[in-house]
Amino acid sequence: EAGVTQFPSHSVIEKGQTVTLRCDPISGHDNLYWYRRVMGKEIKFLLHFVKESKQDESGMPNNRFLAERTGGTYSTLKVQPAELEDSGVYFCASSQVLSSEAFFGQGTRLTVV
Amino acid sequence: AQSVSQHNHHVILSEAASLELGCNYSYGGTVNLFWYVQYPGQHLQLLLKYFSGDPLVKGIKGFEAEFIKSKFSFNLRKPSVQWSDTAEYFCATSRSNDYKLSFGAGTTVTVRA
């Protein structure tokens, strides 16, 4: 069974540009989460989808971040326009309904220069 | 809001030494507790989890953790480490009615052969 996959694995963009990160959860997992780890800090929750609905987006830093999960399958996280402080590793995780055991992807390392 | 504190940023030890990583959390209600590990170049993997019951939890690869409610602690232990245990270890919590995770800052463990 395929795990959680994230694309790209690395992205380097200039300040002001747009970047879209993608996450493919494990098939059948209704819960999908985005997390972010800024250099040297803890991994922080960004938001939680249940199927295509945003269940909790309390961790989204500001309105430059837009997450979608059309059709309840894969999800995208767009940063527009990117700022230097957006640099970090963005993790996606998924879990089954009523399960708190989340499976993580390898992360996307975003560097804004 | 929950917070998770990991006592050590970086631990260096020799093979066959014993390992104990400290973790304390702040939330006073019912929590789920987790230890995740990230080996170099790999995704975050669940080592073990505690929801209820026996406070001594056995995980994969010979790891165990003990939940001490009075101390708000969930320390991770392994009696004899191997070089392959070199990784970053994360303690995490979630509330019993919420699946989003709050992570500690992580502890990098380096095992010297």
Side-chain angles (χ1 to χ4, degrees):
Chain A
E1 180 184 293
V4 177
T5 53
Q6 293 186 244
F7 305 96
S9 56
H10 294 83
S11 180
V12 181
I13 62 170
E14 292 184 349
K15 177 182 171 181
Q17 288 186 321
T18 297
V19 63
T20 300
L21 314 181
R22 172 170 168 147
C23 169
D24 286 74
I26 293 172
S27 178
H29 282 194
D30 287 342
N31 290 311
L32 187 148
Y33 309 84
W34 284 97
Y35 291 86
R36 176 175 74 171
R37 189 183 194 195
V38 172
M39 175 96 68
K41 303 281 189 178
E42 64 271 20
I43 300 169
K44 287 200 167 178
F45 167 82
L46 296 179
L47 88 160
H48 171 204
F49 283 99
V50 178
K51 296 185 179 179
E52 67 275 10
S53 300
K54 291 176 186 174
Q55 182 77 11
D56 181 350
E57 51 185 329
S58 61
M60 294 288 264
N62 51 60
N63 59 10
R64 295 185 293 103
F65 289 75
L66 175 64
E68 294 180 321
R69 192 183 182 195
T70 307
T73 54
Y74 70 90
S75 174
T76 58
L77 179 64
K78 179 162 48 173
V79 185
Q80 178 182 31
E83 298 289 345
L84 299 178
E85 64 264 24
D86 300 332
S87 295
V89 180
Y90 290 76
F91 293 100
C92 176
S94 71
S95 69
Q96 293 179 319
V97 174
L98 299 180
S99 171
S100 58
E101 182 171 349
F103 295 83
F104 282 78
Q106 284 193 290
T108 294
R109 182 174 296 278
L110 174 65
T111 304
V112 183
V113 297
Chain B
Q2 300 171 77
S3 70
V4 181
S5 175
Q6 291 186 237
H7 304 167
N8 307 96
H9 179 64
H10 193 179
V11 172
I12 302 172
L13 58 167
S14 300
E15 278 194 310
S18 64
L19 172 69
E20 179 159 2
L21 302 181
C23 172
N24 287 90
Y25 63 94
S26 66
Y27 181 61
T30 303
V31 293
N32 301 317
L33 295 156
F34 307 82
W35 275 97
Y36 281 86
V37 61
Q38 187 171 26
Y39 298 103
Q42 296 188 27
H43 59 276
L44 277 160
Q45 300 173 41
L46 182 66
L47 265 182
L48 47 78
K49 61 188 177 186
Y50 173 81
F51 294 160
S52 63
D54 188 344
L56 186 60
V57 180
K58 303 283 187 185
I60 60 171
K61 307 191 181 193
F63 286 91
E64 65 177 30
E66 185 175 11
F67 169 54
I68 303 179
K69 188 174 181 179
S70 61
K71 295 184 178 180
F72 296 89
S73 70
F74 190 57
N75 293 354
L76 180 71
R77 297 194 291 255
K78 185 169 183 178
S80 176
V81 296
Q82 300 173 309
W83 176 81
S84 57
D85 292 321
T86 294
E88 191 164 16
Y89 293 79
F90 297 90
C91 182
T93 67
S94 69
R95 297 185 187 187
S96 60
N97 60 347
D98 188 354
Y99 299 138
K100 69 186 180 191
L101 295 166
S102 295
F103 284 89
T107 299
T108 299
V109 173
T110 301
V111 180
R112 292 180 171 157

